Amino acid sequence: MTVSIIVPCHNESANLATLYARICSIMDACQEPWEMICINDGSKDDTLLQLITLHQRDSRIQIIDLSRNFGKEAALTAGLDAARGDAAIPLDADLQDPPEVIPELIKHWKEGFDVVNAVRLSRDGESWLKRASAHFFYRVINRMSEVDIPADTGDFRLLSRPVLDALQSLPERRRFMKGLFAWVGFRSTNVYYHRAPRHSGKTTWNYWKLWNFAVEGITSFSQVPLQMAAYLGFLVSLLAFIYAIWLVISTLVYGNPVKGYPSMMVTLLFLGGVQLMALGIIGEYLGRIYEESKHRPIYLVRQIWQRHTQHHDNHI
Ligand code: UDP
Ligand code: MG
């Protein structure tokens, strides 16, 4: 039973040696055959060089070098597609997901679970704002979508072969992995751990990126915003209708001293705002449809370093 550890790497050269050492000592104690698939996601530092050195020392390290930075979700997809093991474990290269949890994940897998989520009990070294917004995000997305996305679970988890095959059968281009992991279902269980701060380097996720990630997640897994736009439009029309009736009555009762300018402006701007917002929401979904309809590959591979072989491959 081989375990594939999937590590997306974007400018992680300072972390790789420690990561390798820790994974080696844990996995060798585990006595399962394993492979580590590192995806170089368009790093600007010497991540690739470091990876090649590791690969030459230990052929269990495989490298997929993407043609540019495709983002973490695409890098992860590349790794999961390449995984040959009976189970795969996505793991961040910055050692925020402690490899020490892996034996526990494997234990539950052996007990017959297909998905073993690693749930964060705490997140050291992250601001309260990030924690609060993450908490809020999970609540909102779970209210809005039909799939249950487990809160406080990153991509760190164990996925068995049937789950990996199911994931590969999902054709969508824009991949919100957490949602897809939850969507495919299967028997799942949790293990708990304390999330460490980043080992070295800086996160590339600022609040704007996180916001977009949240929008991505919600639009991938929920149509509630579209419905909300419709209901809001309906509500506003209703209010406008009531207001119109009131205007007619008040004109009949009190006469019309031509003082309509403020109320007209308010109504106009309000309606305009609601319309723009509804259009924006529709646009968000339309953009996704457009993106999907182009059928572009999720990622492009520049080169692969596999066990004992090295060959070029220039499509997915
Ligand atoms: N990552 C990636 N491509 C990117 C950004 C990040 O492959 O464009 C990788 C990164 O190397 C790390 C993981 O995704 O292994 C998580 O990234 P990061 O630590 O920056 O995110 P955070 O832990 O702050 O959510
Ligand atoms: Mg991190």
Side-chain angles (χ1 to χ4, degrees):
M1 302 286 257
T2 314
V3 177
S4 307
I5 299 170
I6 317 286
V7 189
C9 306
H10 177 65
N11 298 343
E12 300 284 3
S13 83
N15 293 323
L16 291 173
T18 323
L19 177 75
Y20 171 71
R22 268 175 69 183
I23 287 192
C24 258
S25 69
I26 299 286
M27 292 311 291
D28 289 344
C30 233
Q31 305 203 315
E32 295 290 333
W34 58 279
E35 61 177 6
M36 182 168 147
I37 302 180
C38 300
I39 303 93
N40 178 34
D41 186 19
S43 297
K44 295 233 159 31
D45 61 1
D46 62 345
T47 295
L48 183 62
L49 212 70
Q50 296 260 351
L51 288 174
I52 294 174
T53 318
L54 286 177
H55 168 77
Q56 280 161 353
R57 212 162 74 195
D58 184 342
S59 66
R60 289 173 300 187
I61 314 288
Q62 298 175 31
I63 311 166
I64 301 175
D65 186 25
L66 300 186
S67 65
R68 63 170 170 87
N69 178 255
F70 280 90
K72 185 184 175 189
E73 311 296 298
L76 204 54
T77 307
L80 291 171
D81 287 349
R84 291 288 157 266
D86 302 292
I89 303 178
L91 187 98
D92 282 2
D94 57 6
L95 290 158
Q96 281 196 290
D97 307 329
E100 287 70 22
V101 181
I102 293 178
E104 227 182 311
L105 298 177
I106 294 178
K107 196 185 100 207
H108 285 85
W109 171 47
K110 294 260 159 100
E111 284 166 5
F113 288 99
D114 285 303
V115 179
V116 189
N117 297 317
V119 182
R120 302 183 276 252
L121 287 173
S122 66
R123 308 173 117 193
D124 274 352
E126 283 176 14
S127 66
W128 71 267
L129 185 61
K130 182 156 178 184
R131 280 184 304 215
S133 52
H135 179 76
F136 182 67
F137 167 70
Y138 285 116
R139 292 208 38 181
V140 169
I141 196 164
N142 277 324
R143 271 281 176 85
M144 284 188 168
S145 73
E146 268 138 46
V147 293
D148 240 342
I149 295 175
D152 294 325
T153 311
D155 294 320
F156 187 32
R157 60 187 81 201
L158 181 140
L159 307 159
S160 68
R161 177 46 58 189
V163 179
L164 292 173
D165 291 342
L167 283 172
Q168 273 196 311
S169 74
L170 302 179
E172 58 230 82
R173 316 278 111 196
R174 305 267 297 261
R175 295 181 93 77
F176 181 69
M177 293 311 272
K178 281 183 220 217
L180 298 181
F181 291 155
W183 185 87
V184 294
F186 292 90
R187 280 192 68 196
S188 69
T189 185
N190 295 339
V191 303
Y192 299 89
Y193 74 104
H194 291 277
R195 188 160 168 89
R198 225 172 196 286
H199 180 69
S200 171
K202 262 176 68 184
T203 175
T204 51
W205 294 84
N206 54 34
Y207 280 103
W208 177 241
K209 275 197 180 173
L210 284 172
W211 163 254
N212 281 319
F213 186 64
V215 170
E216 177 85 31
I218 289 170
T219 49
S220 295
F221 282 89
S222 166
Q223 282 160 30
V224 171
L226 279 175
Q227 290 163 346
M228 258 169 27
Y231 288 129
L232 194 67
F234 180 73
L235 190 76
V236 169
S237 322
L238 195 72
L239 289 178
F241 185 66
I242 294 171
Y243 185 53
I245 292 179
W246 163 246
L247 279 184
V248 170
I249 294 174
S250 72
T251 313
L252 289 179
V253 176
Y254 307 112
N256 186 5
V258 197
K259 270 196 272 184
Y261 185 69
S263 60
M264 193 181 77
M265 271 324 269
V266 168
T267 326
L268 238 145
L269 290 177
F270 185 54
L271 272 179
V274 169
Q275 281 172 355
L276 279 181
M277 202 182 79
L279 268 180
I281 294 172
I282 296 171
E284 196 64 47
Y285 284 90
L286 188 71
R288 297 184 56 82
I289 297 173
Y290 174 55
E291 196 71 21
E292 294 290 338
S293 71
K294 286 191 278 195
H295 293 297
R296 287 192 185 149
I298 302 167
Y299 54 85
L300 289 174
V301 174
R302 191 181 72 86
Q303 198 171 348
I304 295 180
W305 283 262
Q306 275 174 330
R307 209 159 251 217
H308 310 304
T309 55
Q310 178 178 357
H311 65 87
H312 292 266
D313 190 347
N314 39 24
H315 79 295
I316 40 169

